[in-house]
Amino acid sequence: MTNGAPRSSPGPAAASSGLTAPATLDRKVVAGAVVLALAGAVAPVLPAYPLTLLTQAVIVAVLAMSLDVLLGYTGLPSLGHAAYFGIAAYTVGILATERQTGLAGCLVAALLLATATAAVFGFLAIRATGTYFLMITLALGMVVWGLAFRWVSMTKGDNGIAGVPRPELGLPWSLAAPLPFFYFALLAAALAWAAMGVLVRSPFGLGLKGIRESESRMRALGYNVWLHKYLAFVISGFFAAFAGVLWAYYNGFVGPVDVQLVTSVETLLMVALGGPGTLAGPALGAAAIVFLKNFVSVYTKRWLLILGAVYIGVILFAPRGVLGAFSREPHSAR
Amino acid sequence: MSAEFWITQAFNGISYGALLFLLASGLSLIFGVMRIVNLAHGSYFMLGGYVGLSVVWRTGSFLAALVAGAVAIALIGIGMERLFLRRLPGQTLGQVLMTVGFALMFQDVALLVWGGDPYTIPVPAALQGIVTAGTLRFPAYRIFIIVVAVLIGVGLWVVLDRTRVGAMIRAAVDDREMAQGVGIRVPVVSLGVFALGAALAALGGVIGGGFLGVYPGADFEVLPYAFVVVIVGGLGSLPGAMVGSLLVGLLDNFGKALFPELSYFTLFAPMALILALRPTGLFGRA
C-alpha cells in the first residue's frame, strides 16, 4: 500500500465487537472534556502572550482534526487541505472588511463557498489513489494559492487583507478582548470536536475506517466506497473551513501564507505527530507545533532548522504519532 | 498584439520551459525509480544556485560553478537517500513530511550562510549579448539555456534508451522486484538516479541563477512548477517531462502576459483538469 496512514486503530473487525467500545468512548470523552475545562480554567490567569498562543492552538486544532477525518480515518493524505481553510478565511476577510458583514453572514458564506470548493475538488480528486491523490490535491491546493497570490483586485495579493474586525455578538463582553475571544474560540472548537467525534463513531465513520483498512473488502461487502470517500473529503473541507473562519477573526489578517503548500504540509505534520485516526492526537499535535514554533522563535532565529528537524524526527522515531505510540489499541489483523 | 509579441513570448516561454526541464527531469526520474515524492527538490535548485554563486565569486569561472553546484548537491542527495529516505519504502506520507523537513532545514541553512539578499550569478561575457533576427531580439543567455536543456535531454534519452545502465534504470522503473530478481542492484540504481536528479536540479539552479537570480524562497517558488511539469507529463516519464516543461513554460509566460491576475490559475487549473481526466498524466503509466 502506498497511502502512508499508519494503522493505529482497530478497524471493522475490532469495532464490531462493541463490548468495550462504550467504556473507552466514555473515558476519551471525559479526558477531552477535562482538557477543555482545564484550558478554560487556566485562561483567565494566563499572561497575554500565552493566552494568544492558546487561542491559536485551539483554532489550529480544529484544522488538524478536520484533516484527520480524511487522513487518519479514511486513509487519504491530502496535500491541499489549507485550500478550504484559506477560502473560508478569505471569505470572512473580504466580507468583514469591505461589506461590514456580521458573524452569521460571514460564517454562512465562508462555509458554503469552501464546502462547495471541496465538493468540486473532491469530485476531481477522489478517483486517484496513493501518490496520485497526493499529487492532485497538491495541484488543486496550488490553484487556490495562485488565486490568492495573483488575483490582486479580489485578494490584495501578497499584501493580504488586514484589519479584519472581530465579530460583535451583542454580548456584554467584546470579542476584541483576548479572553472573551478565547472562550468564543474554545466553545466553537469544542462544538466542532464533538461533531467530528460523533461522525467518526457513527456507522458512516466506521465505514470510513473499513475503507482505510481494505477498500476491496468494503466494496465486496456492498459499501459505496466512492461515496464514502467523497463525503469524507467534503466533510473534512467543511470543518477546515470552520477553522478558517475562526482564524480570520483571530488573526485579523488573511494572506497567501494561509493557503500555501507549507501550511497544508504543516497540518499533515500535526496529524502525524499526534497520531492519525485519534482526533484528540492531531489536536494535541496542533497545539504542540503552535507552541513550539512560537516559543522557539522567541529564543532563536534558527527555528526553521528546529522545525525541520522535528519533521524528520517524528517520521523516524514516532511514525505512528505520539498518541499512536502509547495507544493500547491492538493492531488490526491484516 | 503583433506577431512580434507572440514570437517573443513564445521564445521566453520555451527558454523558461528549458530551465524547468532541468529541474523536472530529475524529479520525474526520482519518482519513477523510487516512488518518492521529493518536496526538497526545489531546495536542490536553490542550494545549487548558492553554491554556484560562491564558486563564481571565488574563481570567476561559470563552468566551475556549474560543476561544483552539481557535484555538491549530488552529494547532499546521496546523503539524504542513503541515510534517511531509504528507511521509508512505500510510506508516501512519511516521505512527504521528511522531505519537507529537509526543505525547511536547507532554507534556514541557506539563510544562515548566504543571508537574505538576492544575488545574480554573473555569466560569461560570451553569453551576455543579444542575438537579433530582423526586428526580433533574443538574449543569448536564454538561447544558451535552451541549448543546454536540449543537450541534457538528448543525453538522458541516449543513456536511458540505448545503454545497459539505462536498461537497468528502466527495469527498476517498470518493476522493482523483478529487476531485483534478475540481478539488478536496485538500491545502487536508486542511489545513482537520486544523485543524478539532485545534480540536474542544481545545474538548473546555477543556470537559473544567471537570469532569475538566487534568493531565499526560490526553493518553494520553483517546486510547484517542477511538480506541474512532472504531473502533466506523467511521473517517471522522460518524454513526459520534455513535453510538460514546454507546455508549462509557455502556459506560464502567456498566462502572465495575457491574464496577469489569473496567471497561476491558468497554470494550475489545466494541470488539475489533466489529472482529473488522466490521473497518471499525459505520458504516465499506472
Side-chain angles (χ1 to χ4, degrees), chain B residues 77-99:
Chain B
I78 286 174
M80 264 180 74
E81 202 275 338
R82 192 73 189 79
L83 299 178
F84 293 94
L85 289 171
R86 191 165 286 186
R87 298 173 181 216
L88 306 170
Q91 298 177 35
T92 312
L93 182 64
Q95 292 163 353
V96 165
L97 291 176
M98 179 170 278
T99 51

Side-chain angles (χ1 to χ4, degrees), chain B residues 51-201:
Chain B
V51 171
L53 182 72
S54 289
V55 171
V56 167
W57 279 348
R58 288 274 164 80
T59 67
S61 162
F62 189 67
L63 189 67
L66 286 174
V67 174
V71 170
I73 307 309
L75 290 176
I76 290 180
I78 286 174
M80 264 180 74
E81 202 275 338
R82 192 73 189 79
L83 299 178
F84 293 94
L85 289 171
R86 191 165 286 186
R87 298 173 181 216
L88 306 170
Q91 298 177 35
T92 312
L93 182 64
Q95 292 163 353
V96 165
L97 291 176
M98 179 170 278
T99 51
V100 167
F102 275 108
L104 294 179
M105 293 177 81
F106 289 151
Q107 199 174 23
D108 213 31
V109 169
L111 200 61
L112 191 66
V113 177
W114 286 280
D117 296 329
Y119 298 101
T120 304
I121 296 182
V123 301
L127 299 175
Q128 282 174 357
I130 285 179
V131 178
T132 49
T135 54
L136 296 167
R137 297 157 61 81
F138 302 114
Y141 194 69
R142 283 182 176 257
I143 297 176
F144 163 72
I145 296 173
I146 297 175
V147 171
V148 171
V150 168
L151 287 179
I152 287 191
V154 170
L156 281 177
W157 177 75
V158 168
V159 169
L160 281 177
D161 222 60
R162 291 283 182 269
T163 67
R164 191 180 158 78
V165 172
M168 282 156 68
I169 294 176
R170 277 181 291 131
V173 171
D174 277 350
D175 192 327
R176 219 184 149 82
E177 285 181 4
M178 280 305 286
Q180 188 102 42
V182 298
I184 296 170
R185 292 169 66 190
V186 174
V188 178
V189 172
S190 297
L191 193 62
V193 167
F194 204 93
L196 176 68
L200 285 174

Side-chain angles (χ1 to χ4, degrees), chain A residues 6-54:
Chain A
R7 295 149 179 234
S8 56
S9 37
S16 61
S17 66
L19 285 175
T20 55
T24 56
L25 188 149
D26 286 346
R27 213 177 58 217
K28 278 185 185 171
V29 168
V30 168
V34 166
V35 170
L36 287 177
L38 221 62
V42 297
V45 296
L46 282 181
Y49 184 58
L51 182 64
T52 312
L53 290 188
L54 198 61

Side-chain angles (χ1 to χ4, degrees), chain A residues 1-6 71 77 79 124-125 127-128 130-132 134-140 142-143 145-147 149-154 261-262 265-266 268-269 272 276 301-309 311-312 314-317 319, chain B residues 31 35 37 39 83-84 87-88 90-98 100-102 104-109 111-112 220 223-225 227-228 231 235 252 256 260-265 268-269 271-273 275-281 285-286:
Chain A
M1 285 301 291
T2 47
N3 70 26
L71 170 68
L79 257 183
L124 296 172
R127 55 175 283 204
T131 312
Y132 293 101
L134 214 65
M135 291 284 101
I136 191 163
T137 48
L138 175 122
L140 293 166
M142 297 307 300
V143 170
W145 173 80
L147 284 178
F149 192 60
R150 281 287 166 78
W151 193 6
V152 179
S153 56
M154 180 61 99
L261 176 62
V262 173
V265 178
E266 208 168 276
L268 279 174
L269 174 71
K301 280 184 182 168
R302 300 271 75 83
W303 66 275
L304 264 182
L305 205 62
I306 293 169
L307 188 64
Y311 273 87
I312 296 166
V314 166
I315 295 308
L316 283 184
F317 303 114
Chain B
F31 181 82
R35 308 275 137 181
V37 180
L39 290 177
L83 299 178
F84 293 94
R87 298 173 181 216
L88 306 170
Q91 298 177 35
T92 312
L93 182 64
Q95 292 163 353
V96 165
L97 291 176
M98 179 170 278
V100 167
F102 275 108
L104 294 179
M105 293 177 81
F106 289 151
Q107 199 174 23
D108 213 31
V109 169
L111 200 61
L112 191 66
F220 278 102
L223 185 69
Y225 283 93
F227 270 101
V228 181
I231 292 167
L235 295 153
D252 185 55
K256 276 180 182 155
E261 287 228 312
L262 297 175
S263 58
Y264 278 110
F265 187 77
F268 294 119
M271 166 171 95
L273 214 61
L275 268 187
L277 298 173
R278 278 188 62 98
T280 54
R285 285 168 294 171

